[in-house]
Amino acid sequence: MLFVKYSLFFQFVSQGFGSSIMQTVSVAVLLQYFPDNFAFMNGVSLIGGPVGMMIVPPVVQQLIQLYDWRGALALLGAMTANYCVFAALVRPLRTRNSYTPIADGEPSSSTNPLPNESLWHKLRQTFGIISDKLCLQMFVDEPGFVTLLFVSFLDGILFGGWHIFLIPNAIALGFNETRSSFLATFAGFGTILGRVLSGFLIDQGLLQAHNLLAVSSFLLALVCLLDPIAAPSYEAVAALATLGGFCFGVIFPLLIVLSVNFPEKRIVSALSWMFLFTGFGASVGGFIIGWLYDVTGDYGVAFCTMGVISAVMGMLSVTLRPTCFPCKTQNRALD
């Protein structure tokens, strides 16, 4: 039993570590390939997630019935191995020689430190290097960066809580497992539409990213608050699942678009921090919403809480207007 626990822990940690690196690098590569219409291509590149959301839950239900949990997980692992194949197909647009000869007499970065340096000086130098690599100065220098990270954290809470308890909520309402699992399909359809539409609106200069983020957050708040009212009707719950998926389909790509609006040398760091806060929020969100259900025994309270969190996220998104850098693709469309 202990071996199983450690195996699951290692599985989740390694999966999260690999997914986070892959997500950050894929966005950075996409920005190099499509600098002029990044918002739209970013949304298109993220369609695979909702497509999987539509297909995987019903398929997994059948796999579990045919091969039990172990066989189903083995088949999903084999499907995931295709990441390596597709990643190997990505090629840089150009190669650069990063080597720069050091002139005579110029100190090298690999030069050993002087023996008379104090321990305090070494610690300050080490911290300076770490701070430079992590771009900690962004928290002070870049307007709106802290607000954007907090919005990302709240989005992670909503994403984790809503997606984890969408199907259990339907089962608790009395719908069978098959109909409940198809709610993920409806949510996936809405997410596809949101990811394509959001990038198109931004690249065409019809809306600005922070305004669209605020509107989507308020709409998601309405979806969550209406969940207890729509509970008796499967059609109403399916419509809310589609609309909720649409909101999430708009919000997450917009967080990426807003993160790349910082200076070029800090874009990868900004993306990394954004993904970190979003991932941490998703981890916390499942715990918080699950705890609320354990305490109240009512998913309606949990979904109403998510509605309040989404409304707060919308209000914070409005404050990004005077502080965030304008999107480059928007500027080209508006010129």
Side-chain angles (χ1 to χ4, degrees), residues 39-58:
F40 177 74
M41 296 307 301
N42 175 58
V44 172
S45 70
L46 296 173
I47 287 179
V51 170
M53 186 188 304
M54 296 171 62
I55 298 175
V56 170

Side-chain angles (χ1 to χ4, degrees), residues 98-112:
S98 59
Y99 170 73
T100 303
I102 299 177
D104 295 338
E106 183 179 347
S108 171
S109 59
S110 60
T111 304
N112 294 328

Side-chain angles (χ1 to χ4, degrees), residues 225-277:
L225 293 174
L226 288 177
D227 182 80
I229 301 176
S233 171
Y234 180 81
E235 290 74 14
V237 173
L240 289 180
T242 305
L243 193 56
F246 174 81
C247 295
F248 281 111
V250 173
I251 291 173
F252 184 66
L254 291 183
L255 293 176
I256 297 177
V257 171
L258 290 171
S259 297
V260 303
N261 291 328
F262 295 101
E264 184 177 358
K265 64 179 181 179
R266 290 180 167 180
I267 287 178
V268 176
S269 296
L271 286 170
S272 301
W273 282 111
M274 187 275 292
F275 285 132
L276 175 65
F277 275 74

Side-chain angles (χ1 to χ4, degrees), residues 153-155 157-158 217 221 288-289 292 302 304-314:
F153 174 73
L154 294 180
D155 175 63
I157 292 178
L158 295 173
S217 300
I288 293 176
I289 305 304
L292 285 174
C304 287
T305 302
M306 287 189 285
V308 174
I309 294 175
S310 184
V312 173
M313 189 171 71

